[in-house]
Amino acid sequence: MPMSPLEELRHSGSHILATAVLRLFPDAKLDIGPPTETGFYYDIDLDHKFTADDLVKIEAEMKKIADENQPFLRKEVSREEAVAIIKERGQERYKLGRLADIPEGEKISFYQNGEFMDLCAGTHVRYSSKLKAFKLLSIAGAYHRGDEKNKQLQRIYGTAFPTKEELAQYLENLELAKARDHRRLGKELQLFTFDTEDVGPGLPLWLPKGTVIIEELEKLAKETEFAAGYQRVRTPHIARESLYLTSGHLPYYADSMFPPMELSDDGKEQTQRYYLKAMNCPHHHKLFGALPRSYRDLPLRMAEYGTCYRYEQSGELLGLMRVRSMQMNDAHIYCTEEQFAAEFKAVNEMYLKYFSIFGLGKYQMRFSTHDPAKLGQKFVNEPELWKKTEDMVRQVLVESGINFVEVPNEAAFYGPKIDVQVWSAIGREFTIATNQVDFAVPRKFNLEYITPQNTKATPLCIHRAPLGTHERFIGFLIEHFAGDFPVWLAPEQVRLVPISDKQLDHGRALAARFHAEGIRVTLDEHSDKLGAKIRRAELDKVPYTLVIGQKEAEANSVSVRSRARGDEGVITADAYLAKLRTEVATRALPEKKAASPKP
RNA sequence: GCCGGCGUAGCUCAAUGGUAGAGCACCUGUUUUGUAAACAGGCGGUUGCGGGUUCGAAUCCCAUCGCCGGCUCCA
């Protein structure tokens, strides 16, 4: 596959990086150095631990190599010659394995620049001097071949662009992305906090302002689900071990669950194990099974914002995006095979409706299927059901005209699924929502309904969570909107700013009125100058600041300053309230489009 | 969990072996302000926690917890 010019440049950057590393550290053993979406890296095995200082030196050496204007030369060789070249260069530790990956019959090529020669399919820029705008960014550990059983190598990341201006722009964007990092904004805007000492890592505490967002999201979900014929249920946060043995989760996921609580009843020898729930489905299955069900009850749609706990590995925690306690926009739809397509389609449509509410334009639907080689291990051993349900899902996707990519070997153990991936402002990729088919677990729970023929049948189950978890979804929204939430979600919708203390009483009366209308309003009572109060409101990212001076107080009007549009002039308080009510009720998006940058 | 880096006041940061400091925030007073920072004073730290070296440790060493950048994982 030919590389794009940018990929060629970056790939050449990684070769030049390797050239420089070998000049400075001749003992380095090279593994692999490809271009990435944002730059390039090279994986290196070396006893010496690279430091930040080393990066500076390596970068300076790379600059020299670029100035040497080395041509990149391609050389095709036989497998035997390739082995000889690798050995001659003392790079057999990883490169022989990489050579073995090249299928018999395929061309084996090396690329040479200056004294450096690397096993490489290509392609490259013609001369090293093409590499003008580049920068080494970081050092990280990376397992050889991405397998944690293998040795961990040192990975040096860098990036390169055709021009210095583009590089500068990229680096500036990285800085801008930091400013909209949800961890930083969450702290600045007082949305949530962590107390890693006494509460624990990965366990977010929601401050009142963040809780407003949670409750607005739940309101949206409840309205939407009610309209779509869902029923709400509630279940406990814990269950006995047997529940997860029945569901089959325990053998697959015990490592990801908090260790069980052992309870002994009244000093009896026998103990009971309780687990914090990591998923809601088993509880919901119990609810389905709690009553006799008829085909007339189907499709039965059971919804709950369920709280789950997952023991994520410490290194995987990341702000709100990866946490150990989470509340999920969960629901399970029990239906017949005939109903499946319509239900699955309706769920996808609900996703799209939500995405338009949040102005989420850039997303990717991933259709995850099973791997036949792993039936009975990673996936339940039901080859026919896999095929049947995967065909059904694929058909719904195609019929709905939804763009998707199909990824084998990533299904849930109980059936195929669709994940919705989005990209955060920092370019990180997240699964924000999921929609899964389950043809296996209902049977384990002996879930049945009576068919029109008075026989018993097991329903299919659709697991779906269009708004994902509060934690991840809000983390994403913070970055998506850069903290400038639409008015309906904004923790503080209106800030009243009196020009002087003389308008304080009027301000209090107005605040009380707005509050009585259900508006989230505050009054700035500081005795600062107007400019300072405006600044404070801007920094707090309040969508509307209403300035009240002598004139406004007398006319019962307000001077409206919109965060998105600036000074909008004076209107009566009544007229403003009417506009605001509409904006909230329609869940209007902010006018200044909060773009979420592409990865 | 693994590799590397980093933990100083609510926040952003300074102090490199010799008395822990600044700006912002907060509180008080003065000011009464027309669309992004008025002025003055005050409060605030067992330098993440625990050991060690030293006459003396924020600073050096060990251990531990946490965070950050990646890797692995992600129902």
Side-chain angles (χ1 to χ4, degrees), chain A residues 325-338:
Chain A
S325 73
M326 68 212 81
Q327 228 178 327
M328 215 184 289
N329 171 228
D330 214 354
H332 296 91
I333 301 171
Y334 301 88
C335 63
T336 66
E337 262 179 49
E338 293 69 42

Side-chain angles (χ1 to χ4, degrees), chain A residues 143-154:
Chain A
Y143 298 106
H144 172 54
R145 293 187 184 276
D147 186 335
E148 63 182 327
K149 289 191 274 301
N150 288 342
K151 181 166 185 185
Q152 200 163 49
L153 311 177
Q154 300 188 77

Side-chain angles (χ1 to χ4, degrees), chain A residues 474-512:
Chain A
I474 293 175
F476 172 77
L477 286 183
I478 292 169
E479 298 187 359
H480 177 62
F481 290 120
D484 282 313
F485 294 106
V487 182
W488 70 277
L489 274 179
E492 182 181 349
Q493 296 169 314
V494 175
R495 172 81 53 93
L496 296 179
V497 172
I499 286 180
S500 82
D501 290 357
K502 289 178 195 131
Q503 290 87 40
L504 267 182
D505 282 342
H506 178 70
R508 289 190 187 108
L510 205 53

Side-chain angles (χ1 to χ4, degrees), chain A residues 55-66:
Chain A
L55 276 198
V56 174
K57 286 183 199 138
I58 294 167
E59 199 176 292
E61 195 62 39
M62 288 173 70
K63 191 128 321 195
K64 261 164 77 184
I65 292 165

Side-chain angles (χ1 to χ4, degrees), chain A residues 499-539:
Chain A
I499 286 180
S500 82
D501 290 357
K502 289 178 195 131
Q503 290 87 40
L504 267 182
D505 282 342
H506 178 70
R508 289 190 187 108
L510 205 53
R513 177 157 173 230
F514 276 52
H515 189 259
E517 294 262 359
I519 303 296
R520 298 185 288 267
V521 62
T522 62
L523 174 69
D524 190 335
E525 300 201 27
H526 288 85
S527 69
D528 288 313
K529 289 172 68 172
L530 178 62
K533 295 180 206 179
I534 298 277
R535 178 167 192 271
R536 197 152 41 230
E538 287 287 337
L539 291 176

